[in-house]
Amino acid sequence: MSARRRRRAATEPEEEEEEEEAGSDKEVDLEERLHELDLRSDSDIPDVPPPTDSTPEILKKALSGLSARWKNWWIRGILSLAMISGFFLIIYLGSFMLMLLVLSIQVKCYHEIITIGYRVYHSYDLPWFRSLSWYFLLCVNYFFYGETVADYFATFVQRREQLQFLIRYHRFISFALYLTGFCMFVLSLVKKHYRLQFYMFAWTHVTLLITVTQSHLVIQNLFEGMIWFLVPISSVICNDITAYIFGFFFGRTPLIKLSPKKTWEGFIGGFFSTVVFGFIFSYYLAQHQYFVCPVEYNSETNRFVTECEPSELFQMKKYSVPPLLQAVLGWETVNMYPFQLHSFALSTFASLIGPFGGFFASGFKRAFKIKDFADTIPGHGGIMDRFDCQYLMATFVHVYITSFIRGPNPSKLLKQLLILQPEQQLSVYKTLKSHLVEKGILQPSLRG
């Protein structure tokens, strides 16, 4: 081998090592830059302007002589009674008003969360952020409410040709609307704000998931019967109130760092109070058709009706008392509605798992250095501050109904049959008749 070749062979490994070191240095630099960009500490997040005090002047004057602790107690108590009274009034007005209430709360909760994002990043002047956020809210509501109309208002839709077109191509129209917003977002991207714009795009979609999807489930629960709407919501309200009362008077032991005012005494007191309340409240509601019958739309009267023969869940039954409790209660049997047993599951979730929705909201507020989502309700904060646990509860109730309660729905099936073409209806009739003859329910001699 020549001297030149030996020198070249000796220098090649050194050059390769230098190239590898340079490449590894570049990778380290890139990782450090990405780390600096994407893993900012909480202290780097801009402060959100604190909400203003919206307490009415008449209440301020009346409670001016009290300490801050007792002043907050009375403000929360008075406003809680006012909200509960308004809630009972809306229940009296019927199912349609309850649906409007759910929609209104959904829009307000969405507004509060989106506004926090806008306030945090308002100095960046992101193009189209607010417009696109509300556009996506409109699209998602159009999709979900269109699905509801198709499921529960089939006979009403059948009589109107314009609605038939919208329902027939509902999902395609919904996708086209969303795709329009998606393209608008892509066109709004600005070079120096790419990462931030994608943050806010994700912010909008997570907010839609939390508010719109959950409120849709609330309305689905309502259609199963008003009792499936009232008992879960009232259980969460009861747990919230009783946990606050027990914590206010007896609270000594902190429960969780995310929410320093929550105590074990309030948590445990709220649990037992909610279980007892749910059992008694369910007993009262189960006696009335208005609360237990599925909500259906009557196309002849153009109104919602709650008339039916109550299912077995809402018919009084006799149960044997466990031997251990017989000595305490002195009863061998007890009469109760089967739904009251289900109320234990609902109340337990509302008092043990439901509060974690509030803890999640507390962590969110701490991340952005805010006390409340808004100042809509004096002493309570924003609407989202009152409904952070309700959305989690709505999902549980929907899953509970579909898993343990709901069976085939003849009424819904009949509505779907009525919108078929005559040929399709005749085919279903012949198939059903043949099946009933094979089962021996109909005689073969019968002619259709």
Side-chain angles (χ1 to χ4, degrees), residues 29-41:
D29 291 342
L30 181 59
E31 290 177 0
E32 289 178 353
R33 291 178 64 189
L34 289 174
H35 183 80
E36 292 174 358
L37 286 172
D38 295 330
L39 301 180
R40 300 188 305 171
S41 66

Side-chain angles (χ1 to χ4, degrees), residues 359-393:
F359 301 152
F360 176 85
S362 296
F364 179 88
K365 289 183 285 188
R366 281 179 171 271
F368 292 96
K369 307 174 186 177
I370 56 176
K371 182 182 178 182
D372 298 311
F373 282 93
D375 57 355
T376 310
I377 312 170
H380 292 267
I383 298 295
M384 191 65 199
D385 290 288
R386 293 299 91 215
F387 287 86
D388 45 14
C389 302
Q390 295 287 4
Y391 285 131
L392 192 62
M393 188 71 193

Side-chain angles (χ1 to χ4, degrees), residues 402-419:
T402 54
S403 301
F404 305 111
I405 304 299
R406 182 184 295 161
N409 189 335
S411 176
K412 189 174 181 180
L413 180 61
L414 181 60
K415 289 178 182 178
Q416 293 173 337
L417 288 173
L418 291 175
I419 64 176

Side-chain angles (χ1 to χ4, degrees), residues 347-358:
S347 300
T348 300
F349 185 92
S351 53
L352 297 184
I353 307 300
F356 280 84

Side-chain angles (χ1 to χ4, degrees), residues 131-383:
S131 300
L132 282 176
S133 297
W134 288 103
Y135 177 80
F136 281 125
L137 176 67
L138 179 65
C139 292
V140 177
N141 269 311
Y142 176 82
F143 170 74
F144 279 122
Y145 280 94
E147 293 288 308
T148 301
V149 169
D151 285 342
Y152 295 99
F153 301 88
T155 53
F156 175 78
V157 171
Q158 187 183 13
R159 298 177 181 180
R160 288 161 176 80
E161 295 183 3
Q162 302 89 341
L163 291 179
Q164 286 182 22
F165 173 82
L166 292 175
I167 294 301
R168 175 68 180 84
Y169 300 103
H170 169 67
R171 295 194 176 185
F172 180 82
I173 295 171
S174 300
F175 178 71
L177 290 172
Y178 178 82
L179 202 59
T180 301
F182 179 81
C183 293
M184 290 170 64
F185 168 74
V186 174
L187 294 174
S188 72
L189 290 173
V190 179
K191 186 175 183 180
K192 60 181 179 178
H193 294 322
Y194 285 158
R195 183 168 53 92
L196 187 58
Q197 286 181 283
F198 277 103
Y199 280 169
M200 301 314 298
F201 185 75
W203 181 296
T204 299
H205 282 67
V206 171
T207 305
L208 290 170
L209 178 66
I210 293 173
T211 57
V212 182
T213 306
Q214 308 301 321
S215 64
H216 174 69
L217 296 182
V218 172
I219 292 178
Q220 293 289 311
N221 299 339
L222 177 60
F223 275 108
E224 295 294 328
M226 206 177 292
I227 195 170
W228 291 104
F229 174 85
L230 294 177
V231 171
I233 285 180
S234 300
S235 296
V236 172
I237 295 173
C238 174
N239 182 72
D240 193 31
I241 293 173
T242 55
Y244 177 76
I245 292 174
F246 276 94
F248 185 87
F249 288 104
F250 309 108
R252 296 291 183 273
T253 312
L255 176 63
I256 187 170
K257 291 182 179 180
L258 279 173
S259 191
K261 292 184 179 180
K262 298 291 192 299
T263 63
W264 275 104
E265 291 80 4
F267 186 74
I268 296 171
F271 166 70
F272 286 107
S273 301
T274 304
V275 170
V276 173
F277 167 81
F279 187 81
I280 296 173
F281 192 51
S282 298
Y283 175 80
Y284 170 75
L285 295 183
Q287 302 176 46
H288 304 279
Q289 276 192 4
Y290 181 73
F291 297 115
V292 303
C293 290
V295 178
E296 296 182 351
Y297 180 78
N298 190 324
S299 57
E300 296 179 358
T301 60
N302 287 329
R303 55 192 293 267
F304 290 99
V305 295
T306 50
E307 298 174 357
C308 68
E309 181 66 29
S311 67
E312 293 184 357
L313 278 178
F314 308 108
Q315 295 179 10
M316 190 72 74
K317 289 187 178 181
K318 183 179 290 187
Y319 292 90
S320 298
V321 177
L324 292 176
L325 294 178
Q326 287 183 13
V328 178
L329 300 176
W331 303 334
E332 294 184 358
T333 60
V334 61
N335 293 326
M336 57 187 293
Y337 294 101
F339 180 82
Q340 289 179 271
L341 298 177
H342 294 288
S343 75
F344 279 116
L346 301 179
S347 300
T348 300
F349 185 92
S351 53
L352 297 184
I353 307 300
F356 280 84
F359 301 152
F360 176 85
S362 296
F364 179 88
K365 289 183 285 188
R366 281 179 171 271
F368 292 96
K369 307 174 186 177
I370 56 176
K371 182 182 178 182
D372 298 311
F373 282 93
D375 57 355
T376 310
I377 312 170
H380 292 267
I383 298 295

